[in-house]
Amino acid sequence: MTDELTRLDRAHHLHPFTDFKALGEEGSRIIVHAEGVYIHDSEGRRLLDAMAGLWCVNLGYGREELITAATEQLRELPYYNNFFKSTHAPAVKLAAKLSEIAPAHMNHVFFTGSGSEANDTMLRMARRYWALKGKPEKQWIIARENAYHGSTVAGMSLGGMAPMHEQGGPLVPGITHVRQPYWFGEGRFGEGPLNDAADPSAQAFGRDCAAAIEARILELGEDKVAAFIAEPVQGAGGAIIPPESYWPAVKAVLAKYDILLVVDEVICGFGRLGAWFGSMHYDLAPDLMPIAKGLSSGYLPIGGVLVGDRVADTLIEEGGEFFHGFTYSGHPVCAAVALKNLEILQDERVIERVREDLGPYLASRWATLAEHPIVGEARSLGLIGALELVADKAGRARFDKSLAAGNLCRDICIERGLVMRSVGDTMIISPPLVITHAQIDAMVDLARDALDETARRLSLQIAHGADNRAGNVSETQERHI
Ligand SMILES: *Cc1c(COP(=O)(O)O)cnc(C)c1O
């Protein structure tokens, strides 16, 4: 069965974010079933899924209540749309529930099928808002380098991933990127760790990054800028937690000018940071919040944009018809599952547990990995975390790119039964929010073993020098999102 699937996969299936040819040569890992925080492959191996699929399976795998919600809704009404003055209970109830859990000034939602579609939607809404306000020249969106906002044309234009920009352009006009608050990667080397209160340099760096937004606003002209978009913590960019100084400084800049704040909550929403939304953790008051992923714990595809009163009131009162929507906007089965997912998060106090128990516990265990000889920084917030692999701890020097240390470490993790992702030489985790203390211990132990083995193989390769190294370059920099 595995061989047949592998053959058909190679023959017919173009995977997302994949070097088709390289994968054809290597073959893919086939996942057959899953429960809790574990996935099982067709070779009969069990892996601890420290990525919750793609940052989305917040309640873990195999939740009967979600399965029941889907099957009951499929029987009742498998599909109807929300166009032309019709709707159905699942979409309405989900909209009301989202308004209940969102920040107080956000009381409307526009549904989409994915996070990318949510970002396309917010782009149209932000520009439409300003047009309705009599300022149609307010068009520019300021986004950030190394951000991820999806893979549609608008999503990838808003994102700041250079390899994506190089393919399939030209990009959507009127989008510009400023520097990211990535202290370990772009701060001044040799200075203290992130958010070390005794070391002011990371905090100064955070303020510098916020100042870059102000500089860009002044360069473009306040009357030309529609919105600033950012993830509270960058996910696909490498689980980048900004210095504590960053968001308050960004808030101050945006308050000074009349510019909408768009907070992309596709990863940070629904409990990842120990609050319903990353915006609540950082005390932001966004005008628009794209959501997806954890909204349904990934069981079915659904996304949306939560809309603040300022924008919603204008679109409703002055907008007339908004010529935008998707066949599956507010799909009844997806909405029913999302609603049940939110009810479980609420009833089981999952988010409170992330904030008060699991997040702090992970932080204490994860921090022990910072002592490892090839780890330059171990950071986490709520249930998102990263390790920075380095050749030299003191100088924060990276391994030679040709060693592809991150990919090597990821493959070793998988050999050992752990799904941990690599973004360059940054290792990232984002486990289901239902992970237990014992499973966190197991995850950290597996990660430590994998780091030992990575260090061992890297030192062998370095010792063997350039000849052997050449054989290792085949792996192109993969960017799984
Ligand atoms: C995954 C992601 C998206 C895109 O969502 P899709 O459902 O894959 O289209 C957008 N923004 C962020 C922050 C994401 O992580």
Side-chain angles (χ1 to χ4, degrees), residues 192-370:
L194 181 73
N195 296 332
D196 175 352
D199 181 349
S201 52
Q203 304 317 320
F205 175 75
R207 284 187 290 273
D208 287 351
C209 293
I213 302 168
E214 180 162 27
R216 188 64 53 87
I217 293 169
L218 295 173
E219 212 176 287
L220 296 165
E222 177 189 352
D223 53 346
K224 299 278 192 319
V225 180
F228 169 70
I229 180 171
E231 304 151 81
V233 167
Q234 280 154 272
I240 295 165
I241 302 165
E244 286 295 337
S245 61
Y246 179 72
W247 275 114
V250 172
K251 263 171 66 174
V253 167
L254 296 179
K256 209 163 141 188
Y257 305 95
D258 200 13
I259 288 166
L260 300 178
L261 171 60
V262 184
V263 179
D264 184 337
E265 296 274 3
V266 171
I267 286 177
C268 295
F270 312 105
R272 178 70 41 208
L273 304 188
W276 274 106
F277 295 96
S279 296
M280 290 165 160
H281 173 82
Y282 285 114
D283 190 25
L284 308 174
D287 295 292
L288 297 160
M289 293 199 315
I291 53 175
K293 293 197 170 111
L295 169 56
S296 64
S297 279
Y299 279 48
L300 285 173
I302 182 166
V305 182
L306 278 161
V307 185
D309 294 341
R310 170 184 178 187
V311 174
D313 291 349
T314 302
L315 293 176
I316 294 165
E317 296 303 325
E318 300 160 38
E321 181 168 353
F322 186 44
F323 298 107
H324 178 70
F326 304 100
T327 304
Y328 301 131
S329 286
H331 189 289
V333 184
C334 304
V337 168
L339 180 63
K340 180 55 75 180
N341 177 61
L342 299 184
E343 287 170 357
I344 297 174
L345 287 172
Q346 218 163 21
D347 294 348
E348 297 185 359
R349 298 178 56 82
V350 173
I351 289 161
E352 290 83 345
R353 204 164 66 215
V354 172
R355 179 168 59 239
E356 290 155 18
D357 173 32
L358 293 172
Y361 187 71
L362 174 69
S364 70
R365 300 289 288 115
W366 197 246
T368 64
L369 296 174

Side-chain angles (χ1 to χ4, degrees), residues 54-55 113-117 119 148-151 231 235-236 264-267 292-293 481:
L54 275 180
W55 329 80
S114 68
S116 300
E117 289 175 7
N119 277 311
Y148 188 75
H149 297 299
S151 196
E231 304 151 81
D264 184 337
E265 296 274 3
V266 171
I267 286 177
K293 293 197 170 111
I481 300 306

Side-chain angles (χ1 to χ4, degrees), residues 32 40-46:
V32 286
H40 297 253
D41 71 14
S42 59
E43 308 290 304
R45 286 159 26 88
R46 185 179 84 153

Side-chain angles (χ1 to χ4, degrees), residues 15 22 29 42 46 50 71 106 179 189 208 223 231 238 259 283 285 296 334 374 383 408 423 450 464 473:
H15 293 222
R29 186 169 52 256
S42 59
R46 185 179 84 153
T71 47
M106 307 193 92
R179 69 180 310 179
F189 281 173
D208 287 351
D223 53 346
E231 304 151 81
I259 288 166
D283 190 25
S296 64
C334 304
I374 63 165
L383 288 186
L408 177 66
V423 174
H464 288 173
V473 212

Side-chain angles (χ1 to χ4, degrees), residues 146-202:
N146 196 36
Y148 188 75
H149 297 299
S151 196
T152 51
V153 177
M156 73 100 168
S157 301
L158 290 161
M161 305 262 168
M164 292 179 77
H165 290 175
E166 282 157 19
Q167 299 175 353
L171 307 184
V172 171
I175 296 170
T176 179
H177 298 85
V178 294
R179 69 180 310 179
Q180 55 176 336
Y182 181 19
W183 168 239
F184 186 87
E186 300 183 359
R188 286 151 300 211
F189 281 173
E191 297 182 40
L194 181 73
N195 296 332
D196 175 352
D199 181 349
S201 52

